[in-house]
Structure formats: structure tokens, C-alpha cells
Amino acid sequence: MNLRRHKYLGAFAALGVVTAAVAAPGAANADEPDGPAYLAPLHDAPASDATTLVNETTGRWFVELASPPIAQGTAKARIAREQAAFRQAARAAGIDYTERRSFDTLFNGFSIDMDSSQLAALRRTQGVAAVYPMVSLSVPEPQRASGPDMATALGMTGADVAQSELGLTGEGVKVAVMDTGIDYRHPDFGGPGDFPTDRVAYGYDFVGDDYDAGSPDAATRVPRPDADPMDCQGHGTHVAGIVGADGEVVGVAPDVTFGAYRVFGCTGSTEADIMIAAMERALADGMDVLNMSIGSAYTWPSYPTATASDALVDAGMVVVASIGNSGASGVYSAGAPGVGAKVIGVGSIDNTHSRAKSVVANPSGEQVAYTELGDVAAPPTSGTTDELVWVGRGCRAAGDELLADPAGKTALMVRGECSFEEKYAASAAAGATAVVIANNVPGMFSGGGVVDRGIPGIGISQADGDALRAQLDAGETVTLTWTDDEIQVASPTGGEKSSFSSYGLAPDLSLKPDVAAPGGNIYSTYPLAKGGHATLSGTSMAAPHVAGAVALLLEADPGLGATEARDVLQNTADPVLFRGAYVETVHGQGAGMIDVPAAHAATASVTPAKLSLGESEAGPVTTTLTVANAGDAEVTYTLSSVDALATGGSTFAPGLYTAESGVEFSAPTVTVPAGGSAEVDVTITSPGASQELQMIYGGYVVLTGDDGSEYSVPFAGFDGDYQAIRALTPIGSGAGQVDLPWLTRLTACEQLIDLDCIDPAGTYSRADGETFSLRWVDGLPDYPYVIAHLAHQVEDLDIHVVDDRTGQRYNPAFHVASDLGPLGRSGSPGGFQAFVWDGTVTKTQGSKDVTRTVRDGDYRLEVRALKAGGDRSNPAHWETWTSPTFTIDR
């Protein structure tokens, strides 16, 4: 029997979604694809101003040493020797740095403060395997509301069925929540009481209340740990409630035992090394599952928070992480730790229901839910509007005049043809005392871009708009009574991918996210000091649904392995649709929304549980799937495939496309004996889109059993030559184009780590042909900087010095060396990183690197970027920029 809650895959044909025909290798498809077709923009949100420069420079670094960490088999004594040898070698090389933390269990290395001028010397230090920029991470601001929306979210994943019918509650499973702490005095966690409690039995505060990594106040950037992980921010309490609250809110696994690992202060951000310290503590406390609703966008799977998470999985812990909220910034926006190779990276699906403010329609007495228009002042909570009058669309630019005079009345309008602002402004100018805009499609909507003109403006559903019009047409006098009531309403985007949820692929073209879960409009616990409950949105809310689901599965099967947990969730997930008719992108939803009852009931597995196809330049990709049957009867599976939407165009603002992949199997069916396994090959050919589209495509391999079961495997890849994507690009276009890279000097900065400005508002001025003294002048370093925008992730970034007099090329001490480690792309169309040269160069003499200071004179800087997935030996995979000549005069 098929226990999947949403038989989307089996029902795709009925929905009008084409299922690819099964063909033996070499056979022609019956219907050849016509090629990709543009469908819609990826998101409606406008891109940030591409001509506004945004400083993304860091002055903090991870240093990774050669041996794997303890969790992956290296002896503690050996790591201690390696770390002692590094410290001695760094001192001998004259590297000026401050050690922040050392790690050995999940990551072998250090976090340090050091300016970028010393990167080459650091990278060449004995025992160093890689150096990574350390990122800061923030928590989202809360969006407050109230109402029992958690219940509908549980129904979306079947967690309600797992509790009520399967009797699963997560009892005996320990779940770590790395976040802002947990309000353990909350009654939904068994409070009041002092830490530790029966429910929140483990934890630690790594930072203290006042800590904020991004604060201009140096004192608040210093962590002050203590033993009490009480939450004063709210995010962690909300996340924990989704995992396992048991009170007004009932979470996915209401009987789990929590570990609260606090890595944020009451406000602001934290840093990645604190996360790794918290991971090591969670491992020491014996946690079974770790939830991290935290992430740093645009990062590689090799980033330390991702590799440390992989080490946790190797040690037996299931690691779940949000994939990020950077969906509006385009593709390749997923972040670490969610992009970790062994981590369950989670995308977000909008809740089917949400809470909305309401008015009462008179004389019918019906409650009408509404949303507020843009920046219009909040409507009152009492009183009655003037009578309604139907004025039509009100789009004057399109020739639609107001159909009636709204002066002294409430204008009832319909959405469409022109902007909400134009409709609202036209009615306000005509003397309306309020504006009500009805949707022109089913459901509610959010109307942005509206400027307040002193009268209320609200949006209502199409059904409510039709009902109000019917009353007016019947000759009734209709008014609205304002209330402070909230009601539960169906979300117009319920069950669809959340617009904010980040897109993969990871920059190494591995498929991310892995799965999805409800994350839009989730009602959960909140600190008692802040009201006790709140509704928030984010992939932060999606990840704990998965962490709770894993706890249920571990309760049912304590022997379930960490990697097996991800596999079964992917095999049984339910892919969601875009606009009800197209399968959502695989790099937006992974395998789809988790299905807890189906995962619990699964008697078979298909591995690998996801297919990362890489770039198609090398041709079709063939993979052997292994189907294992743990049941007591033989099962024959019929093989098929379903295409999902693709993306193409600009990394930051791509579009959605329909595209058909070629999927062929070595046999149309596979029979698996009871307690045995069988193999079948699948060969996937990309859609063959034009290189200019830079298309990411995907779909699902579907196995339908003659016992009624259904399993699926997502696949995704890049269509074409991945190295054709440019990394070093200008910012903006046309008259507003800024032709980065630039040679610059620092002109303003409030936060410096030695020579590096880490102040987001720090400013630089172009310095072509200028002279630098290599001294501090008026409180700022008078040194040459290169600022560069990375439109795509790069494998490496090299910067060299060229002596204009001799043409000799040096490795400067700030050289971001080959083997530095992959770098993330810029976070916005205007983002940049700055690298400073301190006037020293490194030259290899025999077996040693000798660093010396250059003489005064004329120089140029040469920047080279190795493209993602590039071959170092292939000149075509490098991009190069050379600065104008400048002068060093001390």
C-alpha cells in the first residue's frame, strides 16, 4: 500500500505534467523535446542596487591543518603535535596573528584574527592544508502574530499522523538546538524551573547576552560564556518549539530531550568558529540529532562549518541545517553548514494556512481576512468604514477610469492591470476614505510598493471581493467594521516553495537542498518575556520539522544510521508544484517535502538517494541505482522519470524554464527479492540548452512497486560548460556600470583588523596611478587595495606583484594562494571583497620561502581567479585582471 501523503509523482500525468517515457539505451524517444521554454522570473523581488558597493571583507580566518580531526580517526596526540608545530612555524615566519580558538574533534585547526596581507605566508606555513575566510552569521528578525498554525504545518508532513496513529513522540531521543538558546521556563517545555530541566537537560551559553560579532563596540564582540543557555532573542525558542514543544504548541516530536547550545547574544550576529565549538560540545553531550537553523550563504561544501558537520555524521549524529533565506539573490545561494556533503540541507515550503487580521462585513456579519497594503498606516481596530462603492480596476494609465465616485466612501477595487500604488493613489486622490483591493485569483495576496496617503488600504481574497460585490449589486449598503481579531486563512502559496528559500546547486554542483519542510508562516513558542508565542518564516523554521521527523524515526528504529536517515527521507519525500502545474525546481526543493508516515513505513531504499550530475560538457551521465528490499515479499518496480522546472540566465536574477532531460534505463523494470537487492542503470542527458542560459536542470527518477509503493530519487546538473560562467565581473551595466576590480585606497573605516577594513560601511576610492606611503595616515592605512566582485564562486584567487621596471612577477605576502580553498560568491550584485598589499613579496629559495620588502618604485597587481570546477593546468579556466601602475614612495 502506498502511504505517501501526496501522490504527486504518480499523479503528475493527471495534473497535466509530462512524465518522460522509459526507453532502453540507444532507443529514440517518442517525443523529442522542443527545447527549453521561458516560464517566469525566479522571484518577484527586485534585485538590490547593483551600483551600490557593499563591503564583504573579513579579517578573520580558519586555518586547517593536514590530518583529519579526531572524529574521523586521527589520534588526539598527533593533532596536538601538529598544532604545536604550526604555532612554532608561524612564529618563526613572523606571522602576526591572534589565535581565537583551537579545534581537534570535528575540525583540525584554528580560528584566528589576521589581516589579508599575511595570507601567503600563512598558507606556506608548515602543516597548513587550507585557509578559509571566517563568516559572520545573523538570525532573522521576528514577524509577530498569533494562532494555531503549527497544527497545519504538522499535517503537511504527516507528523500529526505519526503521533496519533503510529504513537511516535521522539521519546528517548536527544536533539541539540544550536541557536539563540531556549526559554526553558516556558510551560510548553515543561517550565517553570531552573536549568537544567527535564526537557532542556543539556546545553551551554558560548557567548553571553551582550555578544554581537558585528558590533562597532569592541567590548561586545568578545564572547563571555556561561553555563545558562536562556534565550533572550527568541529564534532558538521558536525553533525548539517546532522540534518538540508540548503545550499550547505541540511540536513534531513532543517528548524529545533538548540540548540548548547558545551561539548568539540577545541581538546581532555570531561567527563560524563559535558554531564549531558548539558542535564539539553537542557531540560530547551525546546528542542524537543536531539542528542548526543557521547558515552562511554562497559557501562551498568544504567550508569548515560544513566539514565539521560531516565529521559529526561520521561520529553517528544526524545533522540537519537550514539551506538559507537568500532565494531573492538567485541560484548558488545555499550556505554552509547546509551544503555539507553528509548534512540534511533543508529548504522551505509555505504553510497551507496563516493568520490574518479581519474586518466584519455589514450587513452579512461575515468575517473578512485582510492584508495591509505596502507602507500604508495600520488600519484602526475599531469603528466602521464609510459605505463601499465598486470602482473597478482604477488603472488610469491603461484607460480604466474609476467606475464610480469614491469621495467620502470606501473604494472597492480589483487587482490587476496596474500597480497597487496606482490603484490606491487614484482612489485617495478622488476623495476615498479607505481602499479595499480584491484579488483577481483565488486566495490572499501581499501588496507592496504602496505609499501612505492618509487612508487605510487593505487587500482581500477574490472570494470575499466577489461576495461584497454581490451585496452591492443587490442594492445593499455595505460597510466594514474594523476589529483586532485574527482568523486562520488558507495561504495562496500554501504547499509551494517559499520565495525566500535559497537555491542550489552548491558551487561544486552537488545537489542541494536535500529535502524541504514547512517554513513559511509557522506558529511556535517564543520567550515568555516576548509574548510566549509568535509566527516566524524562514528555512530556520523548516529545518526543525526535519530534525523532529528524524527523532520520530530514531524512536521507531534506534539503529537507523545517520546517512540512512537522509536517504529514507529523500526516497519518500513528496515533490511540490509551482503554480499547481509544474514540478518545482529540484535545486529549490531537493527531493521534496518530507513525508513522515511514508518514511516510517518504507520497506525499500534506493541509493544513491540523489544524483548530482555535474556539468553536461562531458556528455550523458550513467549511474547504477541499488534497490534494497527489507520486506518479506518480492517486489517489481516500474521505472519512469519526471522533469522539473529549470533555471537559466543571470546568477542573481535568473528565470524559470520548462526543459526536458533525456532519461533512459537499462531495463524498464527491476525485480527485488525479499531481503535482497538489485541494480539498474539510469543514464541522464541534459536538455541541451544554449550556453548563454547557464541552465540548472533537474527531475526525479520514480520507482513504482507492484505492491503500491513508490520511491523517488532527485537529479540535477548544469547544462553546458560550467567554466563558461564569469567570476570577475563589473557591477551593474550601462551608464551605471562599475568596472571592478579596482585599485583603491581606504578612505573611511570604523572597524579594522590590522590593515583589513571589516566595517560594512567602509569606503574606498579609486587610486589608479596614485602613490602610497605604506604608512598609517590620519588613522587609516595608506596601502594599495584591490577590491573585486565575485559574480560566481571560485576555486582559488591569486594576486601577484609585477615590478614595472623589470617586469618581474612576485608572490606578494597577501597572495591568496592556490590551495587557499574555494571562495564564495559575492552576496549581492554590489558586493565586493578587499585585499591589501603591505609591500612585501615572497620568493622561493631552495626549499624555503623568503619574504622581503620591495624597494620604492612603480608596480602593478595581477589578479587571477580559478573558476569553479576548473582545471589549474587549463589557462581557459583562469580569469585575469591587471591593475594600472601605481607608485610606492615611503
Side-chain angles (χ1 to χ4, degrees):
M1 179 174 127
N2 189 339
L3 295 180
R4 293 178 81 152
R5 300 183 59 76
H6 308 289
K7 294 178 65 175
Y8 285 160
L9 291 172
F12 279 156
L15 288 167
V17 180
V18 176
T19 301
V22 180
N29 289 326
D31 298 307
E32 291 296 330
D34 295 325
Y38 178 77
L39 180 65
L42 187 69
H43 51 76
D44 296 327
S48 61
D49 182 0
T51 61
T52 301
L53 298 180
V54 180
N55 186 12
E56 299 173 353
T57 305
T58 181
R60 299 184 172 100
W61 309 89
F62 280 111
V63 180
E64 183 177 16
L65 302 184
S67 294
I70 293 171
Q72 294 177 325
T74 305
K76 186 177 182 69
R78 177 173 178 175
I79 288 179
R81 290 193 298 271
E82 285 189 7
Q83 294 191 357
F86 165 79
R87 294 185 181 102
Q88 182 177 358
R91 283 194 300 269
I95 299 173
D96 183 12
Y97 73 97
T98 300
E99 182 178 318
R100 294 164 54 91
R101 295 175 186 267
S102 63
F103 304 98
D104 59 10
T105 305
L106 302 175
F107 178 79
N108 178 16
F110 308 89
S111 59
I112 66 171
D113 288 351
M114 184 196 76
D115 71 53
S116 58
S117 70
Q118 303 178 85
L119 278 172
L122 176 65
R123 178 60 192 87
R124 291 183 173 86
T125 301
Q126 178 183 351
V128 173
V131 180
Y132 305 88
M134 190 164 67
V135 297
S136 294
L137 306 97
S138 300
V139 291
E141 289 297 317
Q143 300 173 358
R144 296 295 307 278
S146 63
D149 298 327
M150 187 62 191
T152 59
L154 292 183
M156 292 172 68
T157 66
D160 56 344
V161 173
Q163 293 174 11
S164 63
E165 298 183 19
L166 302 177
L168 298 175
T169 62
E171 184 177 5
V173 180
K174 296 193 289 186
V175 178
V177 175
M178 182 198 298
D179 215 291
T180 63
I182 299 176
D183 184 352
Y184 47 80
R185 295 192 176 99
H186 199 295
D188 288 9
F189 296 115
D194 294 329
F195 178 78
T197 68
D198 288 343
R199 289 297 314 278
V200 187
Y202 304 86
Y204 190 72
D205 178 2
F206 290 83
V207 292
D209 287 357
D210 296 334
Y211 174 75
D212 177 6
S215 172
D217 181 357
T220 61
R221 296 198 300 269
V222 178
R224 290 177 171 79
D226 63 63
D228 185 355
M230 172 58 75
D231 182 9
C232 54
Q233 201 276 349
H235 188 267
T237 298
H238 194 277
V239 166
I242 297 170
V243 173
D246 188 16
E248 178 179 329
V249 165
V250 176
V252 176
D255 285 336
V256 299
T257 300
F258 285 105
Y261 300 91
R262 185 183 178 198
V263 296
F264 290 94
C266 296
T267 59
S269 59
T270 190
E271 291 184 298
D273 59 340
I274 296 174
M275 291 177 61
I276 296 179
M279 290 182 208
E280 295 194 342
R281 181 73 176 244
L283 180 63
D285 287 343
M287 295 290 113
D288 301 305
V289 184
L290 168 62
N291 184 90
M292 291 183 285
S293 290
I294 314 171
S296 50
Y298 324 114
T299 40
W300 289 73
S302 58
Y303 193 72
T305 56
T307 58
S309 298
D310 291 342
L312 272 180
V313 176
D314 290 339
M317 192 184 302
V318 181
V319 179
V320 180
S322 55
I323 208 65
N325 298 333
S326 299
S329 67
V331 292
Y332 307 107
S333 56
V339 294
K342 301 175 184 179
V343 175
I344 304 177
V346 185
S348 173
I349 306 297
D350 280 351
N351 199 344
T352 56
H353 290 73
S354 61
R355 303 295 297 180
K357 296 178 180 179
S358 67
V359 294
V360 175
N362 305 307
S364 70
E366 294 293 325
Q367 275 191 304
V368 176
Y370 71 83
T371 57
E372 298 173 20
L373 297 180
D375 295 327
V376 173
T381 56
S382 62
T384 300
T385 67
D386 294 308
E387 66 177 280
L388 270 65
V389 58
W390 171 250
V391 299
R393 288 186 299 190
C395 299
R396 290 180 172 173
D400 293 336
E401 296 298 325
L402 299 175
L403 300 180
D405 183 4
K409 299 179 180 181
T410 297
L412 176 62
M413 317 179 76
V414 67
R415 180 184 185 185
E417 193 64 38
C418 63
S419 68
F420 300 118
E421 162 64 13
E422 185 174 342
K423 295 174 185 292
Y424 174 81
S427 296
T433 56
V435 174
V436 179
I437 300 177
N439 205 352
N440 57 356
V441 293
M444 303 285 289
F445 68 92
S446 298
V450 182
V451 178
D452 184 34
R453 287 176 169 79
I455 62 172
I458 62 174
I460 63 174
S461 71
Q462 183 183 49
D464 286 332
D466 290 346
L468 293 175
R469 282 195 65 189
Q471 295 174 53
L472 291 173
D473 291 344
E476 296 183 12
T477 298
V478 180
T479 61
L480 302 175
T481 297
W482 301 106
T483 76
D484 59 359
D485 295 335
E486 291 184 331
I487 59 176
Q488 190 179 66
V489 295
S491 169
T493 58
E496 296 184 3
K497 176 191 172 295
S498 302
S499 59
F500 54 76
S501 188
S502 291
Y503 288 84
L505 301 170
D508 65 349
L509 298 183
S510 57
L511 199 169
K512 289 288 177 173
D514 296 293
V515 294
N521 300 316
I522 306 298
Y523 179 74
S524 183
T525 45
Y526 215 56
L528 294 175
K530 295 190 172 187
H533 297 88
T535 295
L536 304 182
S537 292
T539 54
S540 289
M541 285 64 250
H545 277 93
V546 177
V550 170
L552 299 181
L553 297 178
L554 287 175
E555 178 193 6
D557 181 6
L560 184 68
T563 57
E564 294 172 330
R566 185 174 75 173
D567 289 349
V568 71
L569 288 173
Q570 289 190 303
N571 281 169
T572 57
D574 303 318
V576 302
L577 304 183
F578 173 79
R579 296 182 180 175
Y582 304 92
V583 184
E584 177 60 67
T585 55
V586 174
H587 55 293
Q589 65 169 318
M593 183 157 58
I594 62 167
D595 189 331
V596 181
H600 174 265
T603 57
S605 64
V606 188
T607 53
K610 65 176 181 179
L611 304 179
S612 300
L613 303 178
E615 55 186 306
S616 68
E617 188 181 31
V621 177
T622 298
T623 306
T624 298
L625 298 178
T626 299
V627 186
N629 178 7
D632 55 8
E634 177 183 277
V635 182
T636 296
Y637 296 94
T638 300
L639 302 166
S640 62
S641 69
V642 174
D643 285 308
L645 289 175
T647 58
S650 162
T651 293
F652 293 96
L656 287 170
Y657 290 79
T658 58
E660 186 174 332
S661 307
V663 181
E664 300 177 345
F665 300 98
S666 56
T669 62
V670 58
T671 298
V672 189
S677 64
E679 295 181 343
V680 62
D681 290 343
V682 55
T683 300
I684 302 176
T685 305
S686 73
S690 67
Q691 182 66 55
E692 289 73 20
L693 277 181
Q694 300 178 7
M695 177 172 283
I696 302 174
Y697 67 98
Y700 298 86
V701 172
V702 186
L703 292 85
T704 304
D706 59 7
D707 63 346
S709 63
E710 187 177 87
Y711 301 94
S712 55
V713 176
F715 63 84
F718 181 85
D719 195 358
D721 177 9
Y722 189 40
Q723 287 72 49
I725 299 178
R726 289 188 61 196
L728 292 172
T729 68
I731 289 176
S733 60
Q737 179 168 303
V738 180
D739 291 319
L740 296 188
W742 274 0
L743 178 71
T744 65
R745 64 173 4 107
L746 184 62
T747 55
C749 184
E750 292 187 4
Q751 297 183 54
L752 282 155
I753 293 182
D754 297 324
L755 300 177
D756 279 331
C757 177
I758 62 168
D759 175 11
T763 58
Y764 300 80
S765 64
R766 199 160 185 170
D768 296 355
E770 295 191 9
T771 298
F772 298 90
S773 64
L774 303 188
R775 297 175 182 172
W776 287 73
V777 178
D778 297 328
L780 291 172
D782 184 30
Y783 289 75
Y785 292 77
V786 170
I787 64 173
H789 170 74
L790 295 178
H792 194 70
Q793 289 89 341
V794 297
E795 293 278 358
D796 278 308
L797 192 70
D798 294 337
I799 307 179
H800 299 270
V801 171
V802 178
D803 187 327
D804 245 19
R805 181 177 63 88
T806 64
Q808 185 172 359
R809 187 169 175 267
Y810 297 100
N811 292 330
F814 76 97
H815 170 222
V816 184
S818 298
D819 303 327
L820 166 68
L823 299 179
R825 73 165 170 88
S826 296
S828 69
F832 70 85
Q833 295 185 45
F835 300 94
V836 60
W837 180 43
D838 67 352
T840 61
V841 294
T842 303
K843 189 172 183 180
T844 301
Q845 294 182 352
S847 61
K848 295 183 179 179
D849 290 328
V850 178
T851 299
R852 66 180 182 84
T853 301
V854 303
R855 61 173 180 78
D856 288 357
D858 295 335
Y859 297 90
R860 286 173 286 127
L861 297 178
E862 179 184 275
V863 179
R864 298 195 317 146
L866 177 61
K867 298 183 179 191
D871 177 358
R872 301 182 185 282
S873 65
N874 186 346
H877 290 178
W878 291 88
E879 295 179 33
T880 302
W881 173 86
T882 302
S883 78
T885 298
F886 59 92
T887 301
I888 300 297
D889 185 356
R890 298 175 179 81

